Amino acid sequence: MGKQLSWGGLIRLRGMVIILGVALIGYFGVLGEVNMFSKQKVLEVERKLSQLRKPAVKSIQSEDGDTIDCIDIYKQPAFDHPALKNHTIQMAPSYDPTKETQSTMTKFERLERKRNQQSSMMVTQPWKKNGSCPQGTIPVRRIRKEYLLRASSVEAYGRKKHSSSRPHVSHESSTSDSNRTVNVQQANHSAILLTEGYRYNGAKGDIKVWTPNVDFDDDYTTSKVCLINGPYWAFESVESGWAVNPSVYGDRQTRFMVYWTVDGSKKTGCFDLTCPGFVQTSHEIALGAAIYPISVPYGLPYEIIVYVFKDPVTSNWWVQYGEKINIGYWPPELFMALRVHAEAVEWGGEVYSARVGTNPHTKTGMGNGNFPDGIFGDSGVIKRIRIHDNSAELKFPEWVETYADEFNCYDVDYVSDYLEDPEFYYGGPGHNPKCP
Ligand SMILES: *[C@@H]1O[C@H](CO)[C@@H](O)[C@H](O)[C@H]1NC(C)=O
Ligand SMILES: *[C@@H]1O[C@H](CO)[C@@H](O)[C@H](O)[C@H]1NC(C)=O
Ligand SMILES: *[C@@H]1O[C@H](CO)[C@@H](O)[C@H](O)[C@H]1NC(C)=O
Ligand SMILES: CC(=O)N[C@H]1CO[C@H](CO)[C@@H](O)[C@@H]1O
């Protein structure tokens, strides 16, 4: 009879195996980390982080996992931009056309605005439950090391991954008798309402807030208002809205975003404050922080009201949130063409994925992942579409056109019949039987 292990021995032995296993996993885990990210990349990331992270006056831990650092307004990342070394902060816009327009509004419009202000006030950011940034500071979402490590390159982090161009698309205009050549900001993929042909100094819209599915970690989906100028191969744009962008934000929450570029997203521009450029003045809204509540089908329509406009005195491009918070601006020093005005405005959705035009198509949704639903609003929708040209007040653009480059995947529906104020519905699921 061979020697038999007692129960006690067996348990002890198993314990050892488990401990050894844990040690091995730990050992290879560490090795894996080192192998996965080269020493050079780790150093590069650390250098970038020390450049990005400014000393915080106060830090707020948000229950959604984000850390918000309150940074001295004069030490914000924008001043790392070589063109902004001597920049003097403009603390508030010198002119606000939304206020100007109020006097000419009808009683109905005033009530409507009040309702909108109330509902948009309800869309806020979760970090504010856990504290606030004092006056004289700005809330900055802390960028974690792992986001940068996972980015394809430290330089690419926070940028748009594709270099978009603006192909010239000819449309038969619906409201004018001449054919127009429309500059579309080509993205991977878009479903938009656009206007051009005038000099635009501002654009505004009420964007319904959803959390669409994002299929792969390097896909993203946004809904936004965007002003553009410059040649189609290297256009300049400023935009604002919401985004679900796991590779930039590390999760799939819907977040408030601003974005800019001066070369069709080839080498310049990025989301929020990840590269220097945007000068923030508000201590209330953190760029890139989550927003809530999110709309649910047939529920209350939560929306963000975004207004991007040029200050007539300083030429700064301001971003206003919820018709009352002026978040900050892009100084004219960043631009060439946009220094003067914008030549086109777009409202709508954009999806980026490396799996577009491939089979299977990405399942990343636009809007809320449904095709345009002008009846129940159970899709992406932008209302109260306004532009600001050389006249004093905000108005609906005189000419608009819709554009969808993959209408079987993401479509558009411009609803203007029987409506005093036209509405733009857009979006879709991506992959579906019509979009294999
Ligand atoms: C900032 O000011 C200094 C001193 O007046 C000047 O030499 C420099 O060129 C300025 N930089 C920019 C970007 O304007
Ligand atoms: C944040 O605030 C919420 C609500 O007041 C609270 O339940 C939560 O514990 C706080 N979280 C942190 C990390 O302080
Ligand atoms: C618009 O372009 C189309 C195609 O190029 C052409 O057939 C049509 O006549 C043009 N319409 C006008 C009003 O110029
Ligand atoms: C339509 C479009 O813009 N397609 C581009 C999407 O992005 C991929 C990857 O960068 C490009 O190869 C496509 O041309």
Side-chain angles (χ1 to χ4, degrees), residues 228-427:
I228 305 163
N229 201 352
Y232 69 90
W233 65 89
F235 61 88
E236 302 177 6
S237 76
V238 286
E239 52 191 77
S240 182
W242 55 256
V244 182
N245 190 339
S247 66
V248 170
Y249 300 123
D251 62 21
R252 283 168 163 76
Q253 296 190 83
T254 303
R255 291 163 179 274
F256 179 70
M257 67 111 193
V258 305
Y259 178 85
W260 66 283
T261 179
V262 294
D263 61 357
S265 301
K266 287 190 184 74
K267 287 208 172 76
T268 63
C270 50
F271 292 99
D272 313 324
L273 301 174
T274 42
C275 62
F278 189 84
V279 179
Q280 187 164 341
T281 56
S282 167
H283 64 105
E284 294 180 78
I285 296 285
L287 302 179
I291 48 178
Y292 83 102
I294 306 295
S295 308
V296 293
Y298 313 107
L300 280 175
Y302 293 108
E303 55 199 18
I304 51 171
I305 304 175
V306 173
Y307 180 34
V308 181
F309 65 101
K310 199 178 92 183
D311 189 291
V313 176
T314 59
S315 291
N316 290 330
W317 282 98
W318 278 89
V319 177
Q320 189 186 70
Y321 177 91
E323 303 208 291
K324 57 184 177 29
I325 301 176
N326 294 305
I327 297 180
Y329 58 87
W330 292 278
E333 290 93 322
L334 300 174
F335 308 105
M336 291 295 285
L338 276 178
R339 251 178 228 209
V340 204
H341 54 246
E343 280 190 341
V345 181
E346 297 178 358
W347 294 262
E350 175 191 350
V351 164
Y352 167 85
S353 176
R355 295 102 185 148
V356 292
T358 62
N359 199 334
H361 190 283
T362 182
K363 290 198 211 61
T364 295
M366 183 192 291
N368 70 350
N370 290 340
F371 282 115
D373 174 6
I375 311 282
F376 299 108
D378 186 13
S379 71
V381 53
I382 302 184
K383 294 185 182 177
R384 294 203 307 152
I385 293 151
R386 295 287 181 275
I387 53 120
H388 180 226
D389 57 17
N390 288 328
S391 65
E393 73 245 33
L394 283 161
K395 59 186 182 193
F396 191 85
E398 275 167 44
W399 176 89
V400 289
E401 181 65 89
T402 59
Y403 174 83
D405 51 12
E406 266 191 332
F407 55 84
N408 284 328
C409 314
Y410 311 106
D411 206 0
V412 290
D413 185 13
Y414 173 63
V415 182
S416 61
D417 290 349
Y418 314 113
L419 277 184
E420 212 169 311
D421 205 352
E423 298 173 349
F424 178 63
Y425 295 84
Y426 63 94

Side-chain angles (χ1 to χ4, degrees), residues 61-63 126 129-130:
Q61 192 55 53
S62 174
E63 58 190 358
K129 287 187 214 164
N130 298 90

Side-chain angles (χ1 to χ4, degrees), residues 161-162 186-189 352-354 356 405:
K161 291 183 207 86
H162 58 294
Q186 189 182 13
N188 263 283
H189 277 271
Y352 167 85
S353 176
V356 292
D405 51 12

